Amino acid sequence: MELTLGANQFFWKADDWTAFYDQMADAPVDRVVLGELVCSKRMPFYQDRIPAAVETLMAAGKQVCLTSLALITLKRERKAMAELAEAGVEVEVNDLTALAYLPEGAAFSVGPLVNVYNEGTLAWLADRGATRICIPPELPLSSVATLAAEGTARGVTIEVWAHGRLPLAISGRCYHARLHKRTKDNCQFACEDDPDGLSVKTMEDQPFLAMNGVQTLSDSCASMALQYEALKDAGVTALRLSPQTGDFMGVCTAWADRVAGRLDGDALADRLEGLVEGMRLSDGFLTGARGADWSARDERKTA
């Protein structure tokens, strides 16, 4: 089972961004996705640091690829995508319009924001050159197994979101700007104040979602800690860990211990609960009636 460090969904100060990826060079992960996924306005703050990060991570033996934006709408975003395709590093597509900029037959990977819900879509992407697909995190285990079987038949690695706030939606509006009574064009980068996203509660003061600029995320931290064997049996061969602040090296190490058999599911869940800074864990999309559900670890202990 491979471990992938997914693209950072949040807006961090450039020095913090650089320090994080310098540290991740020593993390027990196989693959790292770099670049801006959510909002192109963030890119100028750290774009010039990406080449050095690529070099550092590759020197440490990591596979590295660059993410496309999740929503490409502006001329400057199309230009940036064209430059990304010419960078000489594998591209992870998170918006299908990015395919127009990739040479016909060029290998690429597909991120979790592309709706790969069935075998036909997977087959079409494989024929276009996809070698790896991180399937959408809202799929149940039965669908994961079906796609993993199709991926195996076509030589496509199937990856599943294993840790981090789930990417639920991208909008043309900026929630952070609206919260501060600013326009999207004059957002003043309010999302920088919430480096792990801003939790949103219902009118009844119940946790609901999180916002991250133009992106909507889950309130909880999705975790496949208790689903590792089920995913492995389903044919999944890679797991994705999504960056957060705090001790993320600890998150990567805990998952590496799980893959190596040094931790069982309960022990990994216990360790992760101490690393996610008060967020709830969830795995309901895979196993439950609601995405926010957390499989009944405590019930099993008392059964």
Side-chain angles (χ1 to χ4, degrees), residues 25-39:
D26 296 322
V29 298
D30 304 286
R31 188 167 170 272
V32 180
V33 184
L34 287 173
E36 184 54 46
L37 175 67
V38 175
C39 179

Side-chain angles (χ1 to χ4, degrees), residues 1-5 27-32 61-64 132:
M1 186 73 78
E2 294 181 339
L3 293 177
T4 293
L5 178 61
V29 298
D30 304 286
R31 188 167 170 272
V32 180
K62 315 297 185 193
Q63 303 170 41
V64 178
R132 175 187 296 256

Side-chain angles (χ1 to χ4, degrees), residues 164-181:
R165 276 185 159 160
L166 295 174
L168 300 177
I170 291 284
S171 172
R173 293 177 178 270
C174 178
Y175 307 114
H176 260 96
R178 189 176 181 87
L179 176 69
H180 293 279
K181 303 187 186 310

Side-chain angles (χ1 to χ4, degrees), residues 44-253:
F45 289 88
Y46 68 92
Q47 192 172 19
D48 61 336
R49 306 198 180 201
I50 292 177
V54 170
E55 189 174 322
T56 297
L57 291 163
M58 284 185 169
K62 315 297 185 193
Q63 303 170 41
V64 178
C65 70
L66 301 175
T67 183
S68 78
L69 285 166
L71 186 62
I72 300 171
T73 60
L74 304 175
K75 184 176 180 179
R76 62 177 167 80
E77 293 170 349
R78 296 195 297 272
K79 182 175 183 291
M81 182 61 229
E83 294 171 352
L84 192 68
E86 298 171 355
V89 180
E90 179 186 332
V91 173
E92 178 175 282
V93 169
N94 275 288
D95 180 338
L96 287 183
T97 61
L99 293 178
Y101 299 94
L102 300 180
E104 191 71 29
F108 61 92
S109 53
V110 178
L113 278 74
V114 176
N115 294 337
V116 184
Y117 290 149
N118 55 58
E119 305 98 301
T121 303
L122 189 152
W124 183 85
L125 288 166
D127 289 343
R128 182 65 173 77
T131 59
R132 175 187 296 256
I133 297 175
C134 182
I135 58 178
E138 65 267 27
L139 290 177
L141 184 60
S142 58
S143 296
V144 171
T146 298
L147 291 171
E150 182 70 16
T152 298
R154 291 184 167 271
V156 176
T157 299
I158 297 300
E159 183 173 289
V160 165
W161 190 283
H163 179 91
R165 276 185 159 160
L166 295 174
L168 300 177
I170 291 284
S171 172
R173 293 177 178 270
C174 178
Y175 307 114
H176 260 96
R178 189 176 181 87
L179 176 69
H180 293 279
K181 303 187 186 310
R182 302 168 189 166
T183 65
K184 182 179 177 183
D185 289 341
N186 187 34
C187 65
Q188 299 175 43
F189 304 99
C191 57
E192 188 178 39
D193 295 335
D194 301 293
D196 287 309
L198 178 62
S199 293
V200 177
K201 294 184 178 181
T202 66
M203 293 181 69
E204 292 76 25
D205 203 35
Q206 297 299 309
F208 180 43
L209 296 169
M211 63 183 183
N212 172 39
V214 297
Q215 184 185 38
T216 303
L217 301 165
S218 63
D219 172 75
S220 60
C221 177
S223 174
M224 297 302 109
L226 303 179
Q227 308 303 329
Y228 178 77
E229 282 80 9
L231 290 170
K232 194 172 182 180
D233 290 345
V236 173
T237 55
L239 298 174
R240 176 166 296 220
L241 314 178
S242 184
Q244 64 183 64
T245 62
D247 184 9
F248 199 75
M249 179 66 84
V251 171
C252 295
T253 301

